[in-house]
Amino acid sequence: MTPADLSRTVLHAVRRAVDEGVLAGPVPESVQVGRPGPGGSGDYATSVALRLAGPARRSPHDVAHILRTEILRAAPDLTRVDITGPGFLNFTLAPAGRAGLVHTVLAAGIRYGHGDALAGTTVVLAPADEPRAAALTEAVLRLLRAQGAAARTAAARTGDDATERLSARPVPAALAADLFARLGPDAARWGLLRPAAHDRPATGDDLLVQHESNPLFTVRYAHARTRALLRNAADLGISVDAGETYEQQAHALLDTIGDHPGVLAAAARHRAPDRVARHLERTAEAFLHFQETCRPLPVGDEKPSAAHRSRLALAEAAGTVLAGGLTLLGVDAPEHL
């Protein structure tokens, strides 16, 4: 179960409660699900009960208890739904729910995280000549389309659609002319998109350094490493299977993978591809730590086991997220590095 799945589950619970007359008030268009805050528990949390309390003329705790009952009726992938603080709902995934997340990623491929959050929305962006603004416009178009928006560029107002111009701190003129030739398209795009739009773009040769101090290298290396593990597994005759459970050491990686759809949606809404780049860095770091603590391949005389097969599935899912995110940024995800 992904945060997007859980968001839909909570929204359906709200709708059922309103339809059955248990809860009064309008049904929101969407429900935000994220990481639990201080004092929270479990894997995910939402503050929707606090939003609904006023219109329902109930305390947030009362609303949370109503929703908790509705959610547990319809969500077998949850082992617990707890209420904390003034009325936050906290969700703990069942082991099968984590395996289900991996299955979801593998089934969707690099389109995992694409959705319909902006379906029915038309966005017209003004074309840009300055290198950074042009790279930003191209990446935002891909992000918008990945969320179901009808997005295009146009030089001026077209019909009833207002043209939106994206702004970013430009590349210094002295560096702009040969930027892509000097760094190559992948490093140049990463350097332009990784910093937030108001920050100075990265244009130095450190973007080409093959070392963990270079985040672009770390992300691409982590992706290449997932592919190498799968090739080695195939050579050893070890299959990939998401299995039923994952070790505690895998939870940080599962969390970053589960966050991917929400990151893509937020990046599209806020026209902020830097959010995707930062998320890819977190995913890469989580994967590299995971592969050291939960080795996906047997070592020495160790026999292949169900644990190895499920770890390989998680490694493939991590590589899929990394490849999908890099593709949206316009950066290549090499299988060998």
Side-chain angles (χ1 to χ4, degrees):
M1 175 176 279
T2 69
D5 295 331
L6 189 51
S7 176
R8 287 190 290 271
T9 298
V10 176
L11 186 59
H12 292 161
V14 174
R15 187 171 290 115
R16 282 197 308 273
V18 171
D19 290 345
E20 294 171 5
V22 180
L23 193 65
V27 178
E29 291 186 4
S30 63
V31 171
Q32 296 298 314
V33 172
R35 295 286 165 218
S41 62
D43 299 299
Y44 299 108
T46 181
S47 60
V48 67
L50 282 70
R51 287 177 56 194
L52 299 175
R57 297 184 179 180
R58 307 282 290 269
S59 73
H61 256 279
D62 285 347
V63 175
H65 278 284
I66 291 169
L67 296 181
R68 179 180 184 275
T69 300
E70 295 290 341
I71 291 166
L72 287 172
R73 283 170 50 188
D77 287 342
L78 296 174
T79 56
R80 295 181 54 143
V81 179
D82 297 313
I83 300 169
T84 61
F88 294 103
L89 286 161
N90 295 252
F91 310 103
T92 301
L93 296 183
R98 293 186 179 277
L101 170 61
V102 177
H103 282 296
T104 297
V105 178
L106 299 186
I110 64 170
R111 290 181 60 81
Y112 168 65
H114 293 210
D116 58 1
L118 297 178
T121 302
T122 297
V123 180
V124 183
L125 300 180
D129 295 324
E130 191 275 326
R132 191 178 190 193
L136 179 63
T137 299
E138 292 170 1
V140 168
L141 282 173
R142 286 190 289 268
L143 288 165
L144 288 167
R145 290 166 181 163
Q147 297 304 312
R152 66 182 189 276
T153 57
R157 180 183 293 270
T158 304
D160 294 329
D161 299 326
T163 302
E164 178 181 343
R165 184 176 299 277
L166 302 181
S167 61
R169 187 169 179 172
V171 178
L175 299 173
D178 70 339
L179 180 67
F180 280 77
R182 176 167 54 86
L183 296 178
D186 294 321
R189 287 194 186 96
W190 181 271
L192 297 176
L193 297 174
R194 167 58 179 84
H198 59 272
D199 289 333
R200 180 181 291 113
T203 58
D205 291 346
D206 53 334
L207 289 164
L208 302 175
V209 173
Q210 303 279 302
H211 188 269
E212 62 185 8
S213 61
N214 176 8
L216 174 59
F217 170 76
T218 300
V219 170
R220 300 175 87 199
Y221 169 73
H223 173 264
R225 181 64 185 147
T226 67
R227 300 308 164 198
L229 286 169
L230 294 171
R231 289 194 299 271
N232 293 339
D235 290 343
L236 294 171
I238 304 174
S239 60
V240 174
D241 185 353
E244 295 297 329
T245 61
Y246 283 96
E247 301 96 333
Q248 182 67 36
Q249 298 94 318
H251 288 187
L253 178 55
L254 285 159
D255 288 345
T256 62
I257 290 172
D259 288 342
H260 188 64
V263 170
L264 296 187
R269 288 193 183 96
H270 295 283
R271 319 295 196 251
D274 57 290
R275 296 186 181 211
V276 178
R278 290 195 298 275
H279 177 67
L280 295 180
E281 292 173 25
R282 292 192 295 271
T283 304
E285 291 166 0
F287 165 73
L288 293 173
H289 179 72
F290 160 76
Q291 70 157 2
E292 291 298 325
T293 56
C294 301
R295 295 189 178 275
L297 293 175
V299 178
D301 295 332
E302 187 181 7
K303 300 294 184 183
S305 66
H308 291 115
R309 289 190 287 273
S310 65
R311 293 169 189 170
L312 284 165
L314 181 51
E316 183 176 1
T320 299
V321 166
L322 294 170
L326 286 170
T327 299
L328 288 171
L329 296 178
V331 177
D332 183 48
E335 297 208 355
H336 302 269
L337 196 63

